[in-house]
Amino acid sequence: MRTVSRLALALALLPCAALAASPQLFVHRVQIDRSSWPRARGYLTLVSASGGPMPALGPDLFRVYETGQKAGSKILKAETLDAAGEGASVLLVLQASGAMAPLAAELSQAASGFIASLGAKDVAGCVSYGDSAELVAPLSFDKADVARKCGTIAFNAKSFLLYDGLMRAIAAFPPDDARGNPLPGARAVVLVADGRDNGSAADIETVVGEARKRGIPVHAVGHSEVEQEPLAQLAQISVRTSGTYRPAPAPTDVLGALSAVRDLVHFEYLLEWKTELPHDGKDHRVEIALQVDSNTLLQSALTVRTPRFLDWLRVAAFAALALVALTASAAIFYFARKRPHPVRRCALCHKKQMPEWDACPRCLEEAQALFLVQKGLDKGKRFPLLGKSVSLGSGPDNVIRLADGAVSGKHAGLSIEAGRFEIVDLGSRNGVLVNGRKTPRRLLEDGDVITLGVTELKFERRTPGEAGPARW
């Protein structure tokens, strides 16, 4: 396919030297709107060296350069309107002054034939100008009705307000931001005139500026029954609006010139690409080039105003990334931060912080015995035994609370009287084991091992005469 495209391009450019003509590329219009963002569309005309349409070329031969781009955007689609199955919006403008009366029959026949020959997906309209500019038939898919109305134009006006006629034609196209517009995006004004103007409110600069702004090329067919010099005005309008000019020296040449314009419109190219321009509502330069092996053969550029809107998908993506980054930072901070040493308080009086013991020095000083946890989740803890009774269990209201699911809420009690320590089973589910033997009640001796659930506590008695926690 690439070889075929390059061969077709070479053949289209080959007649250039022989005919001393130049092939041309005209970019008429670029559509970049919010509904199809970021997909952009460009409408352009390629004119071969022979003056006819350029044969079908593949997307690999086109490049789009947007503001700030060094490398051209890749073209997603490059087809003629016919190949893409799309139509064009074509408005025919006829000079209805008496100067054109000698060829009224030929003009009516040529105009009706031109409109009837447009494609099924094309829309057509008609404007006449003489003493004033009149929209004879608005743009419509009913081309038979447009042709009929166009055929009723009377060529008897005394004036020839050319520029007012062109402005009326340009105004007949819907604005670019029109919602629900069913008309094809490709546009063209086809003008048949002798180039004279004798008092229009508009001027050539106004016409050219508005046509370029709206992306509407003016294809002019020039024929004059009087002066030939004004025909240069038509050529100037066509060139400055990226259209084409075709002379029709004889009245019978008008139909052939219109047929050539029709073919050129049908072979207008539709390009699609993914735009990288910001949607900021500002003007940006877009250049479309025809290239072979990085060598630019033809190019054309225009200024495009992008729509202004907030891309909520992109905002949501950035917000999600920011949230992930914030969450990750918070997690890193949480796990990497220096944690303060937990505050440990006396297991008995709950008043003083103890960095190494589970009882404060005062309680340890007063205690004559303690339980040392040898096995279980509380392994390593020391519980001084003070007062007249000490409750043991997993419930929160016990003096000695054990983190053991096999220990009952109120598992056992320890009575203390005159240096005697007696453990009593309080009706626990798993019982109380002393030195491996289940017992409901027993006086404890130094070194005894008490098992509650899966927790083992060693009973240690202070040797008479010892003071402080040194014994433990």
Side-chain angles (χ1 to χ4, degrees):
M1 177 63 73
R2 174 178 290 187
T3 302
V4 174
S5 295
R6 292 176 188 274
L7 179 59
L9 179 60
L11 291 175
L13 298 178
L14 186 61
C16 179
L19 299 178
S22 298
Q24 295 174 300
L25 186 154
F26 301 119
V27 179
H28 306 308
R29 187 177 181 216
V30 172
Q31 281 183 305
I32 305 178
D33 51 50
R34 180 175 179 176
S35 62
S36 58
W37 189 274
R39 205 174 185 90
R41 281 186 152 202
Y43 296 93
L44 58 107
T45 298
L46 274 169
V47 183
S48 68
S50 62
M54 194 80 80
L57 302 176
D60 58 304
L61 295 175
F62 293 95
R63 281 291 182 273
V64 174
Y65 297 92
E66 297 177 330
T67 301
Q69 267 190 320
K70 293 183 179 179
S73 299
K74 184 179 180 181
I75 303 297
L76 304 176
K77 178 181 180 180
E79 294 179 327
T80 62
L81 295 181
D82 280 353
E86 298 207 13
S89 300
V90 183
L91 202 144
L92 182 62
V93 180
L94 296 179
Q95 179 180 339
S97 66
M100 306 298 276
L103 61 155
E106 289 86 351
L107 279 179
S108 297
Q109 181 180 0
S112 299
F114 170 77
I115 294 171
S117 68
L118 295 175
K121 295 189 176 181
D122 295 333
V123 298
C126 185
V127 165
S128 70
Y129 74 89
D131 299 326
S132 62
E134 179 186 355
L135 180 62
V136 177
L139 288 166
S140 170
F141 284 98
D142 189 355
K143 288 178 282 296
D145 182 62
V146 174
R148 179 183 59 77
K149 291 179 179 178
C150 192
T152 63
I153 295 175
F155 299 91
N156 55 11
K158 295 180 180 180
S159 297
F160 26 88
L161 305 181
L162 168 63
Y163 303 132
D164 286 351
L166 288 175
M167 289 299 293
R168 185 67 185 88
I170 292 170
F173 290 89
D176 291 337
D177 57 355
R179 296 189 177 182
N181 173 28
L183 303 183
R187 301 171 173 180
V189 166
V190 181
L191 170 66
V192 181
D194 64 10
R196 293 184 299 162
D197 184 279
N198 67 340
S200 288
D203 57 21
I204 187 171
E205 298 301 327
T206 306
V207 170
V208 170
E210 194 63 23
R212 290 181 63 86
K213 178 183 176 181
R214 301 285 300 278
I216 305 172
V218 177
H219 299 282
V221 176
H223 175 84
S224 178
E225 293 289 313
V226 285
E227 306 173 57
Q228 300 299 311
E229 289 79 5
L231 293 176
Q233 289 287 92
L234 301 182
Q236 184 181 357
I237 293 171
S238 297
V239 170
R240 294 180 63 187
T241 60
S242 300
T244 58
Y245 171 71
R246 298 176 186 278
T252 53
D253 296 330
V254 174
L255 180 58
L258 288 176
S259 298
V261 171
R262 178 203 60 208
D263 295 341
L264 203 61
V265 170
H266 281 185
F267 270 87
E268 184 169 320
Y269 276 82
L270 169 62
L271 269 59
E272 291 188 1
W273 68 93
K274 185 177 180 181
T275 182
E276 296 181 11
L277 293 174
H279 40 81
D280 54 7
K282 297 181 180 180
D283 289 340
H284 300 275
R285 180 181 172 84
V286 175
E287 181 179 293
I288 297 180
L290 185 65
Q291 294 182 335
V292 174
D293 298 328
S294 300
N295 296 317
T296 300
L297 304 178
L298 301 172
Q299 63 183 13
S300 180
L302 49 71
T303 300
V304 179
R305 177 162 294 181
T306 57
R308 182 191 294 274
F309 66 93
L310 192 61
D311 192 339
W312 287 108
L313 289 178
R314 185 169 294 182
V315 170
F318 279 126
L321 288 175
L323 181 61
V324 170
L326 183 62
T327 304
S329 300
I332 293 173
F333 172 78
Y334 178 80
F335 290 106
R337 79 188 195 284
K338 291 184 178 180
R339 293 181 175 82
H341 294 292
V343 176
R344 304 182 70 183
R345 297 188 179 276
C346 177
L348 299 174
C349 67
H350 305 291
K351 292 182 179 179
K352 296 184 179 180
Q353 180 178 344
M354 298 297 299
E356 299 177 358
W357 295 77
D358 291 291
C360 64
R362 181 179 177 181
C363 291
L364 287 171
E365 183 69 27
E366 295 177 0
Q368 297 300 311
L370 61 76
F371 280 140
L372 170 64
V373 183
Q374 299 186 134
K375 184 179 179 181
L377 294 177
D378 296 307
K379 183 178 180 179
K381 288 186 177 182
R382 294 172 173 84
F383 297 103
L385 304 176
L386 296 171
K388 293 184 178 181
S389 63
V390 176
S391 59
L392 297 90
S394 59
D397 55 345
N398 290 287
V399 176
I400 299 177
R401 185 181 182 184
L402 301 174
D404 187 340
V407 173
S408 300
K410 282 284 188 178
H411 199 105
L414 185 72
S415 62
I416 305 172
E417 185 177 356
R420 294 159 53 91
F421 296 83
E422 184 178 21
I423 193 165
V424 179
D425 187 348
L426 299 180
S428 63
R429 295 190 308 272
N430 299 316
V432 177
L433 280 71
V434 179
N435 297 327
R437 299 184 63 180
K438 191 171 185 179
T439 178
R441 180 187 295 267
R442 175 168 173 162
L443 290 174
L444 298 179
E445 297 181 359
D446 187 34
D448 282 347
V449 177
I450 298 92
T451 304
L452 306 180
V454 296
T455 302
E456 289 185 359
L457 303 99
K458 183 180 179 181
F459 177 73
E460 293 186 353
R461 182 188 292 272
R462 177 181 291 168
T463 302
E466 285 185 319
R471 165 71 175 81
W472 298 312

